[in-house]
Amino acid sequence: MITAEGRLLRTAAFDLTRKLTGINWFLVLLISLLAAVGALSLYAAAGSFAPYAKPQLIRFVAGFAIMLAIALVDIRLIARVAWPLYFAALAMLALVLRFGSVGLGAERWLSVGGIALQPSELMKLALVLALAHWFHRASWERIGNPAFLVPPLLTILAPVALILKEPNLGTAVIVLAIGAAILFAAGVRLWNFGLAAALLGVAAPIAYAHLHAYQKARILTFLDPARDPLGAGYNILQSKIALGSGGLWGQGFMHASQGSLDFLPEKQTDFIFTLFAEQFGFIGSLALLSLIALIVFTAIAIGLGSRHQFGRLVAFGIGVNFFLYAFVNVAMVMGVIPVGGVPLPLVSYGGSALLTTMAAFGVLLSVQVHRNVEFASQQQESL
Amino acid sequence: MRREKKRLSVFTRRALVAALGEAGLFGLLGLRLYRMQVIDGARYATLAADNRVSARLVAPPRGEIHDRNGTLLAGNKPHWRALLMVEETADAKASLAAFTRLIPLDPAEQERIAHAIQLHQPFIPVLLRDYLSWDEMAQLAVNAPELPGIVVDVGTTRFYPFGPDFAHLVGYVGPPARSQLADAPVLSLPGMRVGKSGVELERNQPLTGQPGVMRLEVNALGRVIRDLSRDPGMPGETVRLNVDAKLQRLMASRLEKEQSAAAVVLDLHNGAVMAMGSTPSFDPTLFDTGVPARQWKAWITNQRAPLLDKAGTGLYAPGSTFKPVVALAALSSGAITPGTRFFCPGYFKLGQHRFWCWNHGGHGFLDVTSAICQSCDVFFYNTALATGIDQIAAMARRLGIGAPPPVDLPGFRAGFVPTREWREARGKPWTLGETVIQGIGQGFVQATPFTLALMAARVATGRAIAPRVTAAVGAETVPPEPTPDLGIPEPFLALVRQGMREVVNNPLGTAYASRLSDPNVQMAGKTGTAQVFDGPQGVDTASLPWRFRPNALFIAFAPAAAPRYALSVVVEHGNEGADAAAPIARDLMGAVLARDPANRQIATGSVPGTILPGEPPT
């Protein structure tokens, strides 16, 4: 008892200075570098600080403060709000279907007191926290029991279904992938994944056969934008031309002949990577990809350094989340995968995505700062 | 603990597998980038250089300007023009050279085009030549293969159906200045025009509209293969004016008979500017198509200043039309009472100096009403002296002279009323003699025809009328301005109005000859004859050279019993207000009353509305 109390006192005595020195400042530097690349690209997109770069920088400063504030919050407190946060995000997703405003053909935004919220952004973080909390207590044997996997499966599929209904297939697939990644890292047996893949393979054609003709057409266009040459296909074609014309060294900052013109629609959001790649060429693009990869690997390293399962899974989940967004966006602008509406985190213009990304990094830093704390429940389990 | 260890080792293993997978996927992206940017870079660069999909900004059609009844006052007329699409040709200079072999361009034009090509603003074609003739079009069509990037398309010219009649009021458009281009590249589009004066300038923004975008697929020669999409943009809004086109044209035809004149007609119920004109005028279309140097020289050397809007910016001594202001200042300040009478022996003596009445024989004893009626100068010399300059100046501003003009047009001038401080600030004391001549609207005081009409409107209503030229922009109606009471006691206003009524309707009045022909409707008015130089007394001013003759002025409102319209007429060097200005006022007032739907039954002045010259060209 005395030792336990002593430990608790010691954890409570974590003072601000020690927490601040515990922050992974290298990661903070990487994040700031990426945001700087974003501001630079947004500046180039408009040729001036207005209308993109300036508000984005202001939001980054706000996001930076939020990130540091969250980093100092005890990870156990974060674990305690994991489920409430998840259900709040789920409720907002349901609300967005009823009351959300339509942006670019899909209902994704919820306006709360004048602030536009994108609940799917919030859900990505909430899902990671909720699943990590579920598997935090689970022993290796319990995970082997399929019945134990039903609640987390529902936890993943509920938001996926709501996001699909918006409809936003791209985000739904990413959320599904994040969920799967956490199940994988938590130790769910590999045969479970095999079974799920097989089920999906069998179910998809059946579900497809039951769709209405217009729904099929929509999916086909989604899978192959070239079917719609004046819409998405036009964007991808122009993006590829701009990207390719960057060459080895690029056209130079502010010399993007294609990107700066209106050939590139949505250049400040989805196609910001194209604009960057045209100006800075293969060398610059490779550097940008390396920066993103470094952030992802740092996140996974933080997970490996955590002494509690919650921290491991949260860090891993946030890293995977970041990776998926960056990968899908870059692959999309290169025309590798036919998805739309996925921004490049920290670089694309957009307040909601930036703030949730920074909040997620705050949680990641909190894992790092509190890597050695002990959860009461974990103690009891191990005793 | 063993189980915890197992869990940790599984996490570690799987996290590393995932990291490896992610690294692999990043590697694939890198390879793809290498292929696109390094291996295929040159091919994409070629594609980028002559991007097969080209976009063109499309100039929005400028909004029309209508009169109150929907008559077109300013519209757009199509014409053919040749454009050079720099993006759609490999060698813009070669195309231009081929073009000049077919259609010669003068050196200044060539310089402008070379500059525009060098500037190369994306999607903005370079205008080579406006107003192509049929022959030139045929030349271009036959030689099309040698003219890559050159297209013939339809441009628009600003078109003013009534030409000079509305030139000052509606204004004109012209190519944007180079300084404007920096802020709004859209203005570089061929055919884009900006308002330079009048309503065209005041309402330039809603008239301009939003540019559209046209996406085109072009082949390697720059020929358009097909339209991909068209965003038509937003045409400019239609601006509807309060002006009545027929009244305005009548005004123009009446003013044209004078060498240099201006007039304003206001509706007192809503402050509408019914007509406002200045003569001589000019053809506003020329500013769009280009003013020939000879024409420009003729305009700016003309002493009658055709380019100047005399109605809003011409400054004139108001002469005796200023007397109602002096009378109201005197009554309001208590300097005179309604019963005050002054004796007019034909002159007024201040110290050793004699100030003459226009009637050297003298008017005898007069009260304020009969002094206005007969325009007795001596009465107002006495009154001004008793009132003092500061009271007169304050009343003039209250009635709209010397204060910023409350109107929705740019550049209107306030006129001027002197004060003691103004004079003293220039190091000279205010003298009583200066106060005396203020009494008859001479000396430093200056008014524009617009401010004179405003003054007449305010005397007629006792309210702070604020005239409006524009009735509606698009679907949005311009609300009438509030017209607060001026706070001048009604009995005083009634005395002055009675005096003005007698000016026109009393056989002793100075404008009795210009009364309305309909005995049921009376016009109230005030004549003014303002000297433009100090000549010797007793000279017949009509025999002087034109530019030394006095200015003729007239202000009026009608019906006198229940005022509905107010107006002012100024005829430069028209000699006598009663002879030159009052008849024009009578014709305009008769016409506006006849055109008022509420007064259809009233047979009016000598010029009924039906004899208005000509119908508008269509």
Side-chain angles (χ1 to χ4, degrees):
Chain A
M1 269 324 263
I2 293 162
T3 47
E5 261 181 13
R7 272 183 201 145
L8 276 175
L9 271 175
R10 218 176 58 206
T11 18
F14 248 113
D15 66 330
L16 193 66
T17 340
R18 286 188 54 190
K19 281 197 175 184
L20 281 174
T21 48
I23 285 179
N24 187 335
W25 289 104
F26 178 65
L27 179 62
V28 174
L29 177 74
L30 294 180
I31 291 166
S32 305
L33 264 176
L34 190 56
V37 168
L40 204 69
S41 304
L42 290 175
Y43 180 89
S48 64
F49 277 107
Y52 306 131
K54 195 179 158 197
Q56 188 81 349
L57 277 171
I58 291 168
R59 286 180 199 137
F60 177 72
V61 171
F64 197 83
I66 291 172
M67 175 180 78
L68 288 187
I70 294 178
L72 301 178
V73 174
D74 194 312
I75 191 68
R76 287 166 295 190
L77 186 63
I78 294 174
R80 220 174 296 156
V81 300
W83 284 104
L85 192 67
Y86 171 82
F87 284 112
L90 198 63
M92 281 162 69
L93 274 177
L95 277 177
V96 95
L97 282 180
R98 257 190 91 83
F99 305 110
S101 58
V102 175
L104 298 174
E107 297 169 45
R108 293 171 196 180
W109 296 84
L110 197 61
S111 191
V112 180
I115 302 164
L117 275 174
Q118 218 173 348
S120 57
E121 291 287 332
L122 185 61
M123 179 48 90
K124 287 182 299 176
L125 179 59
L127 181 68
V128 168
L129 292 175
L131 289 176
H133 190 271
W134 181 264
F135 287 105
H136 169 61
R137 296 152 163 269
S139 63
W140 171 247
E141 283 73 24
R142 278 185 84 183
I143 295 169
N145 177 6
F148 182 74
L149 298 180
V150 172
L153 218 52
L154 290 177
T155 305
I156 296 168
L157 291 179
V160 167
L162 287 175
I163 295 169
L164 264 181
K165 213 161 169 295
E166 279 180 4
N168 186 349
L169 191 54
T171 304
V173 169
I174 288 180
V175 170
L176 190 68
I178 292 169
I182 293 184
L183 296 190
F184 175 73
V188 172
R189 307 295 188 265
L190 290 177
W191 65 264
N192 288 317
F193 292 99
L195 183 66
L199 276 176
L200 207 65
V202 174
I206 298 172
Y208 183 79
H210 282 85
L211 289 176
H212 292 291
Y214 77 90
Q215 286 172 319
K216 286 182 191 173
R218 201 180 286 170
I219 287 180
L220 285 178
T221 305
F222 172 80
L223 292 175
D224 178 15
R227 284 167 54 94
D228 180 17
L230 298 184
Y234 170 82
N235 296 358
I236 295 291
L237 175 68
Q238 296 304 326
S239 173
K240 282 167 78 173
I241 290 174
L243 218 149
S245 68
L248 184 61
W249 293 102
Q251 311 268 4
F253 182 53
M254 299 286 288
H255 283 87
S257 70
Q258 299 294 297
S260 65
L261 309 184
D262 287 333
F263 281 128
L264 256 189
E266 304 282 312
K267 64 190 171 203
Q268 77 280 14
T269 55
D270 291 3
F271 291 94
I272 193 83
F273 182 82
T274 308
L275 196 65
F276 180 88
E278 191 189 0
Q279 294 174 83
F280 300 103
F282 178 65
I283 302 296
S285 313
L286 216 56
L288 178 56
L289 282 183
S290 307
L291 181 60
I292 293 170
L294 217 51
I295 292 176
V296 173
F297 296 148
T298 307
I300 291 175
I302 287 174
L304 289 171
S306 169
R307 284 180 56 183
H308 41 84
Q309 185 74 350
F310 181 74
R312 288 176 203 132
L313 293 177
V314 165
F316 180 80
I318 289 171
V320 167
N321 182 3
F322 186 74
F323 164 79
L324 281 172
Y325 263 70
F327 176 79
V328 169
N329 175 271
V330 174
M332 171 185 76
V333 301
M334 288 186 203
V336 179
I337 49 174
V339 189
V342 177
L344 188 60
L346 291 186
V347 183
S348 287
Y349 180 76
S352 182
L354 179 78
L355 289 179
T356 43
T357 305
M358 293 304 279
F361 281 128
V363 174
L364 181 62
L365 288 173
S366 172
V367 170
Q368 154 86 14
V369 171
H370 305 94
R371 59 189 176 277
N372 291 323
V373 300
E374 291 178 15
F375 283 76
S377 57
Q378 198 179 359
Q379 248 179 2
Q380 277 157 9
E381 201 181 58
S382 56
L383 278 172
Chain B
M1 275 331 267
R2 193 196 57 79
R3 286 179 303 180
E4 170 61 19
K5 242 184 203 149
K6 168 81 179 161
R7 216 168 55 155
L8 176 61
S9 70
V10 167
F11 175 81
T12 308
R13 200 165 58 234
R14 291 192 177 182
L16 288 176
V17 167
L20 216 62
E22 285 164 359
L25 286 170
F26 272 126
L28 285 178
L29 288 185
L31 280 178
R32 170 85 182 176
L33 265 178
Y34 182 77
R35 194 186 154 83
M36 284 177 77
Q37 295 196 295
V38 180
I39 299 178
D40 292 340
R43 188 167 65 84
Y44 279 118
T46 318
L47 278 177
D50 55 4
N51 201 319
R52 296 177 62 85
V53 180
S54 162
R56 272 182 212 167
L57 286 175
V58 185
R62 194 172 171 84
E64 293 183 342
I65 300 176
H66 295 171
D67 90 332
R68 59 165 53 214
N69 300 314
T71 309
L72 186 73
L73 302 183
N76 304 302
K77 211 163 68 174
H79 68 262
W80 296 98
R81 59 185 183 177
L83 303 177
L84 173 62
M85 309 287 176
V86 180
E87 289 98 348
E88 294 171 16
T89 163
D91 186 350
K93 291 216 170 68
S95 291
L96 180 60
F99 180 84
T100 42
R101 275 196 295 280
L102 294 173
I103 300 172
L105 296 168
D106 66 52
E109 279 295 281
Q110 291 196 13
E111 195 260 341
R112 176 188 64 80
I113 293 165
H115 178 75
I117 291 175
Q118 200 194 348
L119 218 63
H120 188 190
Q121 288 169 294
F123 311 140
I124 295 186
V126 177
L127 176 66
L128 296 181
R129 177 73 188 275
D130 252 324
Y131 313 109
L132 292 174
S133 68
W134 281 109
D135 281 354
E136 289 166 333
M137 295 239 317
Q139 286 268 0
L140 292 178
V142 167
N143 294 290
E146 286 120 64
L147 299 167
I150 289 177
V151 296
V152 172
D153 87 339
V154 180
T156 60
T157 315
R158 199 62 168 162
F159 167 61
Y160 301 97
F162 301 109
D165 291 359
F166 291 82
H168 299 106
L169 177 65
V170 168
Y172 55 86
V173 296
R178 276 206 180 160
S179 57
Q180 289 173 298
L181 294 180
D183 301 334
V186 163
L187 291 179
S188 320
L189 286 171
M192 278 306 271
R193 293 288 183 262
V194 294
K196 299 281 188 182
S197 76
V199 175
E200 294 272 27
L201 172 58
E202 180 77 17
R203 307 286 171 186
N204 185 51
Q205 207 178 348
L207 285 168
T208 302
Q210 296 288 330
V213 180
M214 197 161 57
R215 286 191 200 288
L216 305 163
E217 190 175 336
V218 291
N219 66 12
L221 290 172
R223 291 278 141 212
V224 175
I225 297 171
R226 62 180 172 138
D227 275 15
L228 292 180
S229 68
R230 261 170 203 273
D231 164 10
M234 280 269 291
E237 304 259 35
T238 297
V239 170
R240 188 161 55 79
L241 304 186
N242 280 319
V243 175
D244 183 321
K246 288 201 171 176
L247 185 70
Q248 176 84 10
R249 301 195 64 215
L250 170 72
M251 179 188 278
S253 72
R254 282 300 275 113
L255 294 180
E256 259 166 29
K257 294 183 182 136
E258 309 297 334
Q259 302 204 40
S260 179
V264 179
V265 181
L266 303 176
D267 184 336
L268 303 180
H269 283 191
N270 55 8
V273 174
M274 300 292 293
M276 180 152 58
S278 176
T279 203
S281 190
F282 59 94
D283 182 0
T285 313
L286 288 181
F287 280 95
D288 189 356
T289 58
V291 180
R294 212 154 40 91
Q295 175 70 73
W296 179 251
K297 207 167 167 220
W299 279 341
I300 57 170
T301 53
N302 188 339
Q303 278 190 2
R304 278 84 170 151
L307 295 181
L308 189 75
D309 176 19
K310 298 188 188 85
T313 62
L315 294 175
Y316 305 95
S320 297
T321 59
F322 196 61
K323 285 173 181 168
V325 177
V326 178
L328 286 172
L331 289 163
S332 302
S333 65
I336 64 167
T337 66
T340 301
R341 290 153 74 89
F342 290 110
F343 181 74
C344 168
Y347 61 88
F348 173 79
K349 245 177 129 175
L350 182 72
Q352 290 307 305
H353 190 81
R354 275 187 181 197
F355 293 89
W356 289 95
C357 185
W358 65 268
N359 183 350
H360 290 204
H363 286 102
F365 276 105
L366 290 174
D367 65 5
V368 62
T369 308
S370 45
I372 291 175
C373 166
Q374 297 179 41
S375 202
C376 173
D377 292 338
V378 169
F379 181 92
F380 282 97
Y381 293 145
N382 281 301
T383 304
L385 206 54
T387 312
I389 184 61
D390 295 328
Q391 292 287 343
I392 295 173
M395 179 56 73
R397 292 214 185 86
R398 228 155 135 194
L399 292 170
I401 297 176
V407 68
D408 52 342
L409 276 184
F412 269 40
R413 298 174 75 168
F416 180 72
V417 278
T419 57
R420 201 183 301 273
E421 290 87 53
W422 168 79
R423 192 71 172 142
E424 280 162 5
R426 273 149 195 79
K428 291 192 176 162
W430 182 265
T431 65
L432 288 180
E434 284 159 353
T435 305
V436 168
I437 57 168
Q438 242 25 242
I440 60 163
Q442 294 278 173
F444 298 116
V445 61
Q446 286 185 314
T448 67
F450 176 82
T451 58
L452 285 174
L454 186 62
M455 185 260 282
R458 290 181 171 184
V459 169
T461 58
R463 299 190 159 273
I465 303 282
R468 283 291 168 267
V469 169
T470 304
V473 176
E476 212 167 304
T477 312
V478 178
E481 291 293 302
T483 56
D485 197 281
L486 286 169
I488 303 169
E490 187 58 31
F492 299 158
L493 286 166
L495 277 179
V496 171
R497 288 181 200 141
Q498 178 58 29
M500 289 175 71
R501 185 177 190 152
E502 288 182 20
V503 165
V504 184
N505 299 288
N506 185 327
L508 290 176
T510 50
Y512 183 65
S514 295
R515 65 196 177 280
L516 298 177
S517 60
D518 179 356
N520 298 320
V521 189
Q522 291 191 334
M523 175 166 81
K526 184 71 200 79
T527 52
T529 304
Q531 290 174 6
V532 292
F533 90 122
D534 263 337
Q537 287 294 327
V539 173
D540 179 13
T541 51
S543 65
L544 291 169
W546 180 76
R547 63 196 177 90
F548 293 133
R549 289 178 209 160
N551 289 331
L553 303 96
F554 195 74
I555 60 169
F557 58 85
R564 174 71 204 263
Y565 299 103
L567 60 74
S568 71
V569 177
V570 174
V571 179
E572 277 187 19
H573 313 297
N575 203 24
E576 287 281 346
D579 298 341
I584 298 175
R586 174 198 58 202
D587 294 351
L588 291 176
M589 192 60 91
V592 72
L593 286 168
R595 289 191 58 73
D596 184 353
N599 292 326
R600 282 279 184 241
Q601 74 281 12
I602 300 173
T604 49
S606 60
V607 181
T610 45
I611 68 144
L612 291 168
E615 285 300 306
T618 43

